[in-house]
Amino acid sequence: MSATCGFFFFAFTLLFSLFSFMLFIIRMKPWCNCDICRSYLTVSWASKFANLCDWYTHLLRKSPSGTIHVHVLGNTITSNPDNVEHILKTNFQNYPKGKPFSVLLGDLLGQGIFNVDGDSWLFQRKMASLELGSVAIRSYALELVNEEIHARLLPFVVSTARGEMNKEKVLDLQDILRRFSFDNICKISFGLDPGCLLPTLPVSDLADAFDLASKLSAERAMTASPFIWKAKRLFGIGSEKRLREAIKVVNDVAQDMIKQRREMGFNSHKDILSRFMGSVEDDAYLRDIVVSFLLAGRDTIASALTGFFSLLSKSPEVEARIREEVGPGPEPPTFDQIREMHYLNAAVHESMRLFPPIQFDSKFATEDDVLPDGTFVRKGSRVTYHPYAMGRMENIWGPDCLRFRPERWLRDGVFVQPCPFKYPVFQAGVRVCLGKDLALTEMKSVVVALLRRFDIRVVEPDQELRFVPGLTATLRGGLPVRVLERKC
C-alpha cells in the first residue's frame, strides 16, 4: 500500500513539474520570431553593438513610445520618463521587486533591503533612513573616506606617477577604485578593514568571494530558463557550486564580525552593523542587512568613478574648470565646502547620466496595468526601466545627449537638481537611494584629491568601452590609465 502511494505521489509530482515547466515555456514564447527576439536569441546584435545595453538603447531610440518588448524574456523595457514615474511613484504598489528577482539574489542577499518588499523592506528602510541621515554617521563616513584617501589611495598613485610601480606609470584605475571602495564600505558596514589598497595590493578572500557571488548571482538571470540554474543548485554542480562556496566565505566573515560585536559590546562602535544590532537580535537577519550595504557601496561608487575619469580624460576643459573650483591645497574638503562645489557636482551627475553604475532595474507587476504610453503590462510580467538608455535619448537631453557637458546641470552657476524620473540613477519615488548623499560625497572627495595632484589619462582613449555582465557596470579589462604628477 505504501509503495503504491509513493508511486502515485512521485507520478503526481513529476506531472505537476512538467505542467509547470510547460506553462513557463508558453509564457516565455521561445518560438517568437520577431526581429528583437530573433536578434536576442541568436546574439546577432553583437555584430553591430559592443554591449547589450547599447543595443537596447538603439531599439528604444527607434521606438516612438520609448518602450520595447523582449517576448522571449517576458520583459517590457522602457526609457519613457512618464512610464518611470508611473512604475516608481504613481503605481508603486503594483511594481515590487517581486519573487522572481528575490529568488535570483536570495542566496546572496537573503532578506536584505535590496531583495525584499512589504513590511521587511519598510522596516529596514526606516532604520537605514534614520542612520544614514544622521550627522554622526555622515561625519564618521567622511572621516573614514578621507583616511583611506590620504593613507592609501594618494600614496599608491604617487608611487605609480613616480615610476616606482612600473616604468610606464600605468595602473588599472577601475581595480584601484574597487579596492578603495571595498575598504571603505567594509569599515562603514562592519568596522572591518580588509586592507585591499595596501601597497602590495593583497588578495582579499572576502572581496574575491563577494565579487564572484555577485557575478554568479547576476548570471542566473541570463540563463535560458530558471530551471537550469535551479537544477545546478540542487545537484551542487558548476557555477552554483562556486556560488555556494563564495557565499560561505561571505557568511563566515559576517558571522565572525557579528559574534565579535556580541561579545565585545556594540554601543561604543559607529559602524552600521553595531547601529543595527541595537534593534535587531536575529544574527541571520543582521547578516542580510549588512551584506546589502556591502553590495550598495562596493561596486556602485567604483563604477561611477571609473566612468567619470574615462570621460574626464577626454575633456580637458571640464578638468580645468573643476580644478579652478576646488582650488589647491592638501586639506580634504568639508561637507560644507563640497556642497558649494557646483561645477564638480554637475560633472559627477553628468558622468553618471552617460555611465550609470546600475544600467537598468526591473520590477514585476502584481496586477494587469497600462503604462502612460499605452503599453499593456500583464500580471506577473517583468518591467524594466533603463537609466543607461535614458541618458542617451535626444527627447530627454537634447541633440547633444552623447556629449559630456556638465553645464547642462547649471543655472547661473548653481547646480539644479534633475527630475528623478528623467534621471533615475538613484532610483526615484518611494525607493529613492538613501545613501545618495554619502555616495556623492565620497565620489567628490576622491575627485578633489586626485585632480589636485595628478593628470590622469586613459591609455587607449578611443577604444570602445565594453561591460562585463553583472549587477553593476564593470569594464571588461579594467581602465588602464597613465598617471602624471602635477607641478603645483
Side-chain angles (χ1 to χ4, degrees):
M1 180 67 177
S2 60
T4 303
C5 290
F7 171 77
F8 279 112
F9 178 77
F10 174 78
F12 172 79
T13 302
L14 180 62
L15 288 172
F16 182 77
S17 298
L18 288 172
F19 176 71
S20 299
F21 179 73
M22 290 304 297
L23 280 179
F24 174 80
I25 293 296
I26 290 170
R27 293 189 67 180
M28 289 290 286
K29 296 184 180 179
W31 57 82
C32 180
N33 199 38
C34 73
D35 290 341
I36 292 177
C37 293
R38 187 168 59 251
S39 295
Y40 180 85
L41 290 171
T42 61
V43 200
S44 61
W45 57 265
S47 64
K48 295 182 179 179
F49 301 94
N51 303 289
L52 184 62
C53 57
D54 292 315
W55 179 54
Y56 282 151
T57 300
H58 168 73
L59 295 175
L60 290 164
R61 275 203 201 108
K62 292 200 308 179
S63 169
S65 64
T67 302
I68 60 172
H69 302 278
V70 185
H71 304 109
V72 293
L73 298 179
N75 192 6
T76 298
I77 305 175
T78 188
S79 62
N80 187 319
D82 293 335
N83 290 346
V84 175
E85 182 172 9
H86 182 83
I87 295 164
L88 297 181
K89 180 183 177 182
T90 310
N91 202 15
F92 163 76
Q93 296 297 337
N94 194 53
Y95 294 97
K97 282 288 184 183
K99 187 176 179 180
F101 179 89
S102 299
V103 169
L104 288 173
L105 300 182
D107 291 326
L108 175 61
L109 298 183
Q111 296 298 305
I113 189 170
F114 300 118
N115 208 42
V116 293
D117 296 300
D119 292 340
S120 181
W121 169 78
L122 189 59
F123 167 75
Q124 291 183 59
R125 186 170 177 84
K126 285 182 177 179
M127 287 289 297
S129 178
L130 181 66
E131 297 299 344
L132 296 179
S134 69
V135 175
I137 196 69
R138 287 193 303 166
S139 299
Y140 176 64
L142 185 58
E143 177 185 326
L144 292 177
V145 167
N146 285 329
E147 178 184 314
E148 184 79 7
I149 287 173
H150 292 274
R152 292 180 181 170
L153 179 62
L154 289 180
F156 185 88
V157 180
V158 166
S159 65
T160 301
R162 294 176 181 174
E164 296 170 11
M165 292 295 177
N166 57 73
K167 293 181 180 179
E168 292 78 20
K169 302 180 181 180
V170 171
L171 57 80
D172 179 358
L173 187 60
Q174 177 174 258
D175 177 58
I176 298 306
L177 292 171
R178 283 165 63 84
R179 290 172 177 273
F180 169 84
S181 60
F182 195 67
D183 279 356
N184 277 321
I185 197 60
C186 283
K187 292 177 188 177
I188 294 170
S189 298
F190 281 138
L192 168 73
D193 181 6
C196 292
L197 197 50
L198 289 171
T200 57
L201 298 183
V203 174
S204 166
D205 290 339
L206 175 60
D208 286 351
F210 194 79
D211 285 348
L212 181 59
S214 300
K215 175 177 176 289
L216 294 178
S217 295
E219 287 179 356
R220 283 175 167 179
M222 301 177 66
T223 57
S225 163
F227 290 101
I228 296 174
W229 68 261
K230 287 181 180 179
K232 290 164 69 176
R233 181 176 65 174
L234 177 64
F235 294 106
I237 59 175
S239 59
E240 288 297 316
K241 178 183 178 182
R242 293 164 58 214
L243 176 59
R244 185 178 62 207
E245 293 168 349
I247 290 175
K248 184 180 184 303
V249 174
V250 175
N251 288 346
D252 288 346
V253 172
Q255 288 162 6
D256 286 347
M257 293 305 302
I258 292 170
K259 182 180 178 181
Q260 288 179 26
R261 286 289 185 275
R262 293 282 187 212
E263 293 172 351
M264 297 168 55
F266 50 83
N267 290 330
S268 61
H269 294 275
K270 300 178 182 178
D271 56 89
I272 291 171
L273 171 62
S274 298
R275 288 174 171 272
F276 270 86
M277 288 181 82
S279 304
V280 179
E281 296 185 0
D282 184 339
D283 286 356
Y285 194 22
L286 277 171
R287 174 266 177 209
D288 295 345
I289 292 171
V290 176
V291 168
S292 291
F293 276 97
L294 284 182
L295 180 66
R298 192 265 200 263
D299 289 333
T300 52
I301 290 172
S303 173
L305 283 169
T306 300
F308 176 85
F309 281 104
S310 71
L311 290 166
L312 194 69
S313 177
K314 296 181 285 186
S315 306
E317 70 288 349
V318 174
E319 184 180 58
R321 286 201 58 180
I322 294 175
R323 284 200 175 113
E324 180 183 354
E325 181 177 67
V326 303
E331 293 300 317
T334 64
F335 265 117
D336 290 337
Q337 289 171 332
I338 289 174
R339 191 180 298 117
E340 294 304 312
M341 295 177 181
H342 293 280
Y343 192 84
L344 173 59
N345 199 17
V348 167
H349 278 79
E350 176 74 345
S351 70
M352 288 191 288
R353 176 181 71 83
L354 292 168
F355 293 118
I358 308 294
Q359 295 180 339
F360 64 90
D361 187 38
S362 296
K363 313 295 182 186
F364 286 84
T366 57
E367 300 292 341
D368 289 352
D369 192 22
V370 177
L371 299 179
D373 67 359
T375 300
F376 175 72
V377 177
R378 190 178 302 280
K379 175 182 178 180
S381 64
R382 179 181 175 188
V383 180
T384 299
Y385 65 94
H386 210 291
Y388 181 92
M390 294 178 73
R392 289 162 163 72
M393 293 294 154
E394 286 192 19
N395 63 323
I396 299 176
W397 299 102
D400 66 345
C401 61
L402 298 182
R403 183 183 168 200
F404 178 52
R405 189 173 68 85
E407 288 78 9
R408 75 176 77 244
W409 299 86
L410 300 172
R411 297 291 182 274
D412 298 322
V414 177
F415 177 79
V416 178
Q417 287 289 347
C419 168
F421 306 109
K422 294 181 178 180
Y423 182 82
V425 170
F426 294 97
Q427 291 218 33
V430 183
R431 278 191 183 262
V432 68
C433 176
L434 293 173
K436 173 183 175 181
D437 290 340
L438 285 178
L440 287 169
T441 299
E442 181 173 341
M443 288 178 62
K444 287 183 273 191
S445 296
V446 170
V447 172
V448 170
L450 291 179
L451 288 191
R452 278 175 170 173
R453 297 191 58 177
F454 307 101
D455 289 323
I456 299 174
R457 296 292 178 264
V458 175
V459 173
E460 298 183 29
D462 297 326
Q463 184 174 4
E464 193 168 15
L465 300 182
R466 293 178 179 270
F467 298 102
V468 178
L471 299 175
T472 52
T474 303
L475 295 180
R476 190 183 302 278
L479 186 69
V481 299
R482 183 166 284 105
V483 182
L484 301 174
E485 200 167 6
R486 299 182 69 235
K487 295 178 182 180
C488 299

